[in-house]
Amino acid sequence: MLEIRPLGLDGVLEIVPKRFGDARGFFVETYNEERFSDAGIDLRFVQDNHSYSAATGILRGLHYQLPPRAQDKLLRVVRGRVFDVAVDIRRGSKTFGKWVALEVSAEKGNQILVPKGFAHGFVTLVPDTEVLYKVTDTYSPQHDRSIRFDDPAIGIEWPSLSGGFQLSDKDLEAPPLAAAEVFV
């Protein structure tokens, strides 16, 4: 009942749950602990988050929490579309500083699993976008970190949007990867 596609970096996955639809609409089981476990995804989610972005070009990220409060994230879009990015920030990894991206949308019904050890961010591709995501640890301000979204050392190829990007002050002030506190 789950279609799972590796996205090229260790543990970053696209997950597409099966949709059942008819003239009335559709039904989808977005998370089932047993089915995920059967697919080799053994995570315990403890918090659900919901973000709303009013405009196209709202960029949130690149965010992560350091151990011992690191978080795995399972993200889906319930309205709209995002360009979603995961960056490997495990300093000992052979893919350190590499990134993958996936368009996640309400229409596709797909999800992205971003494991611990990755910075995460997304930009909205349409107005009125709503994103839901589950995490495996609660928010901890002391462990919360960010990396600059446009760090040339990472080289993320964000979509070109006519209105540009809108970021929070926190994201505008984020350090580049070389100066960031990351996973060892």
Side-chain angles (χ1 to χ4, degrees):
M1 303 258 307
L2 293 175
E3 186 177 338
I4 299 175
R5 295 185 200 113
L7 294 177
L9 292 179
D10 186 31
V12 182
L13 304 171
E14 178 181 23
I15 299 170
V16 184
K18 184 168 178 59
R19 267 191 193 185
F20 301 92
D22 59 26
R24 300 168 298 156
F26 70 84
F27 171 83
V28 63
E29 189 176 87
T30 60
Y31 177 74
N32 177 306
E33 184 178 28
E34 185 176 324
R35 291 189 205 289
F36 271 61
S37 181
D38 289 348
I41 303 169
D42 289 310
L43 299 173
R44 182 178 166 263
F45 293 104
V46 298
Q47 179 176 311
D48 284 358
N49 300 320
H50 186 158
S51 92
Y52 168 74
S53 299
T56 299
I58 304 293
L59 198 149
R60 301 179 188 269
L62 301 163
H63 303 150
Y64 58 99
Q65 286 189 179
L66 291 171
R69 302 298 300 274
Q71 298 172 318
D72 302 280
K73 296 178 182 178
L74 179 63
L75 177 140
R76 66 190 176 101
V77 175
V78 294
R79 181 168 52 159
R81 288 185 298 132
V82 301
F83 179 82
D84 198 278
V85 175
V87 179
D88 188 344
I89 58 168
R90 301 168 299 162
R91 199 168 294 283
S93 168
K94 64 183 178 188
T95 57
F96 177 76
K98 303 291 184 204
W99 63 277
V100 293
L102 176 69
E103 184 175 298
V104 182
S105 71
E107 182 181 345
K108 290 180 186 175
N110 59 337
Q111 301 177 73
I112 186 168
L113 178 67
V114 180
K116 294 172 185 164
F118 288 80
H120 172 257
F122 62 83
V123 64
T124 58
L125 299 174
V126 296
D128 296 319
T129 294
E130 294 189 59
V131 174
L132 300 179
Y133 57 101
K134 299 178 147 333
V135 292
T136 56
D137 202 342
T138 57
Y139 175 69
S140 173
Q142 305 91 314
H143 298 89
D144 184 39
R145 300 291 186 278
S146 298
I147 295 173
R148 182 79 185 180
F149 79 100
D150 59 354
D151 182 347
I154 300 171
I156 297 170
E157 296 173 17
W158 295 98
S160 180
L161 301 172
S162 61
F165 300 128
Q166 295 178 50
L167 290 94
S168 69
D169 289 341
K170 170 188 164 182
D171 291 342
L172 285 170
E173 296 165 3
L177 180 59
E181 189 178 359
V182 296
F183 288 64
V184 290

